[in-house]
Amino acid sequence: MQPRKILVTSALPYANGSIHLGHMVEHIQTDIWVRFQRLRGHECYYVCADDAHGTPIMLKAQKDGITPQALIDRVYQEHTRDFAGFKISYDNFYTTHSEENRYFAEFIYKAACKNGDIEKRTIRQAYDQQAQMFLPDRFIKGECPRCGTPDQYGDNCEVCGATYSPTDLKNPVSAISGTKPVEKETEHYFFKLGNFESFLREFLQSSAVQKEIANKQMEWFESDQGLSDWDVSRDAPYWGFKIPDTADKYFYVWLDAPIGYLASFKNLCDHIGLDFNEFWKPDSSAEVHHFIGKDIAYFHTLFWPALLKSGGFRSPTAVHCHGFLTVNGAKMSKSRGTFIQAESYLRHLNPDCLRYYFASKLSNGVDDIDLSLDDFIQRVNSDLVGKVVNIASRCAGFITKRFDNQLAAELPDQTLYAEFVSASESIAESFESLRYSQAIREIMQLADKANQYVDEHKPWVLAKDETRAAEVQAVCTQGINLFRAIVTYLKPVVPQLAADAETFLNAGELTWASVSMPLVASQINPFKALMTRIERTAVDAMIADNQQALEQATAPIPTTLESAKTHLSTDPISPEIQYEDFAKLDFRVAKIVKAAAVDEADKLVQLTLDLGGETRNVFAGIKSAYQLADLEGRLTVMVANLAPRKMRFGISEGMVLAAGPGGKDIFVLTPDSGAEPGMRVK
């Protein structure tokens, strides 16, 4: 087998939110393929990065009272923690807010200008008069001009996949202020995608793109719209890289985001001494594989190859698209608690379990996959615990207790072991072609055969006859070797289980070639439980934990235009209430007796409030405005008849009211304001 040089990427997660299990479908799919290539002996590098630019990040940082740099630094730590928790084996996880990214963005842009692929023109763009800013595509919502679906963003439709200009939306509204935007002239820079029509036709018709994706993209060549020129600039204010030789224009985030693949790899090359050009020059014999979701196929199979071509780089070897994740048969939902964050999962469940379950569902197509929590429990317990680990646990005890951990000198059924060895290429082909579910089926068939072998030879019965001790050792050696082959094939999927099995087998690191030679006449280590069953209580605890985390992440109601800019919901105003409803609220003055920090909470403080003879425990999001000692002795107004609410940190027995624009400007009453604890406020 000829060794290959392979560079692999996953799509860049956006740096303004948490990693959830929808993200993990892609990163687990990619990681399995990468680990498989390494296991086969290929030179395979895996890079990714945070997508760290754009207006949403700028506005979220403003809401949080921090700089965009501080925000992306914080999110970077969270993302790297969660990906590490799921054993994602990046060689480099970087950021698009880097000098390497700036260099390649400017390099490709200047090359495109020189080649005549960039055009400057005056356009009319949506402008929010209330917010006094041009609206990025994702901050305008309306009806898709192609299929008519409502509540779609201003750059592409999530239903039909169409891309368009925000001015093409029907009945548009600003997602910042909720007002109808006006049009205003501005100068923008366009990448002339139509210059690459023949190149892109050839690319789509090659083996680089899945047929169903290629067919979808080919529709653009036949449509009246054709390959539209692509607006690659945005107006200030904008968080990103300024376009060279301009005063107030910035690279659109979708230009410098995929360039993050180049930047992250260049950063890796500089650290470990790799030749960047060996992978990215036009005539490179190395491979470049992108793993992405089907929702961003347009950018990765049309814009990105054209940008690379214009900049003088090679095209991707393959762009592998996958479908979306549903939970219990429905779209992930925050209200149902099934918009599951990676952090919530990792606090309660083994990451190998989800890796295995996703692998058992994934194919090389773009169909959505479902995480049925009941099926998840049943399949992991049945397959990994009941079949795979069970083989070793049934055989290891006899080897340890009766034969001082020593395996027999040869296998009693070499024909059966040869069958396991011969399955190697079929399983490898399934992994190589991303048909993971097929690979899992083949491996589980081997597990069934291994368990059947142990059942038929019954070492626990043989052990009762001292004259048959050699048979016991031989049968158990056979079983442990069948287990070893199965774990080797599963190693890309369940890396922690494989690592623990390697410790148990005591024969070094498992490679794909390990299976060809059985493990005989050697010592194993005493068996320790390699995996435990998933209990329903653990899944329920994860859902409850996740629900609390989502509730705490709910942003407060904005009190100024500046903070309102960060609230992107265009939901209608809540149902009208009557004056009698409002009159039910009992506002009381309370004295802050004690203010304490809340571990793991950035904004919350725990307040002990004196209501005039009665004390209450309340959590309030005012940490940014006060030193804890400065709060004690002050007065505040609270909703005294609000039902207690269970939070992750404890019970909150009311709600504190404060005023101000946010950040450090949040005001509570001073002790000399003339109010007394317990006084009612009307």
Side-chain angles (χ1 to χ4, degrees), residues 389-407 454 459-460 463 472-473 475-477 479-480 504 524-529:
V389 173
N390 191 47
I391 302 166
S393 66
R394 299 170 83 188
C395 298
F398 294 106
I399 297 294
T400 297
K401 293 175 184 177
R402 293 175 175 264
F403 307 102
D404 196 24
N405 295 312
Q406 184 77 16
L407 296 176
V454 177
W460 53 91
V472 174
Q473 186 182 27
V475 167
C476 291
T477 297
I480 287 171
F504 159 63
I524 60 173
N525 285 318
F527 181 81
K528 296 179 181 179

Side-chain angles (χ1 to χ4, degrees), residues 106 146 161 345 469 558 641 671:
E106 293 183 357
R146 188 179 188 188
Y345 178 98
N641 63 336

Side-chain angles (χ1 to χ4, degrees), residues 171-371:
N171 301 316
V173 295
S174 166
I176 295 177
S177 68
T179 62
K180 183 177 180 178
V182 299
E183 288 189 8
K184 189 174 179 180
E185 285 191 348
T186 182
E187 281 191 342
H188 273 220
Y189 295 81
F190 288 80
F191 182 75
K192 300 170 73 173
L193 192 62
N195 290 359
F196 300 87
E197 179 171 340
S198 60
F199 161 74
L200 291 172
R201 282 181 181 272
E202 183 178 343
F203 178 73
L204 289 172
Q205 292 167 355
S206 71
S207 59
V209 182
Q210 291 141 293
K211 186 171 293 185
E212 57 264 58
I213 295 295
N215 291 341
K216 184 71 175 176
Q217 309 303 30
M218 289 297 293
E219 294 176 7
W220 289 104
F221 297 97
E222 316 305 332
S223 69
D224 294 336
Q225 184 181 3
L227 292 176
S228 301
D229 292 347
W230 181 34
D231 188 347
V232 296
S233 60
R234 291 296 182 267
D235 293 281
Y238 196 78
W239 170 245
F241 294 139
K242 189 175 288 186
I243 297 176
D245 303 319
T246 70
D248 61 351
K249 308 296 178 185
Y250 290 79
F251 287 123
Y252 175 39
V253 64
W254 259 111
L255 181 136
D256 71 37
I259 288 173
Y261 303 141
L262 301 175
S264 184
F265 186 61
K266 181 64 166 67
N267 181 258
L268 175 67
C269 290
D270 290 345
H271 278 87
I272 66 174
L274 280 175
D275 183 353
F276 175 88
N277 291 325
E278 185 179 3
F279 286 80
W280 283 106
K281 62 185 180 182
D283 60 348
S284 172
S285 61
E287 302 172 35
V288 173
H289 293 258
H290 298 309
F291 285 75
I292 62 166
K294 62 183 178 182
D295 56 324
I296 54 174
Y298 187 85
F299 295 100
H300 280 79
T301 59
L302 292 176
F303 292 140
W304 177 232
L307 275 178
L308 288 170
K309 180 74 171 175
S310 186
F313 296 97
R314 54 90 50 79
S315 301
T317 307
V319 179
H320 307 286
C321 297
H322 61 81
F324 301 137
L325 177 69
T326 59
V327 178
N328 291 335
K331 186 177 180 179
M332 290 193 299
S333 166
K334 291 185 178 180
S335 63
R336 297 188 190 98
T338 55
F339 194 91
I340 302 172
Q341 296 180 339
E343 183 183 16
S344 296
Y345 178 98
L346 290 168
R347 272 199 288 264
H348 299 277
L349 294 163
N350 184 336
D352 272 4
C353 295
L354 190 70
R355 290 176 63 103
Y356 177 80
Y357 188 76
F358 281 170
S360 74
K361 295 271 191 172
L362 282 165
S363 69
N364 58 358
V366 294
D367 295 331
D368 297 345
I369 68 170
D370 183 55
L371 170 58

Side-chain angles (χ1 to χ4, degrees), residues 37-50:
Q37 301 299 343
R38 293 170 180 160
L39 200 61
R40 297 273 281 178
H42 300 303
E43 184 180 347
C44 186
Y45 302 99
Y46 181 16
V47 301
C48 194
D50 268 343

Side-chain angles (χ1 to χ4, degrees), residues 22-33:
H23 291 112
M24 294 315 308
V25 171
E26 178 174 299
H27 291 260
I28 287 172
Q29 182 191 41
T30 314
D31 188 63
I32 290 172
W33 200 76

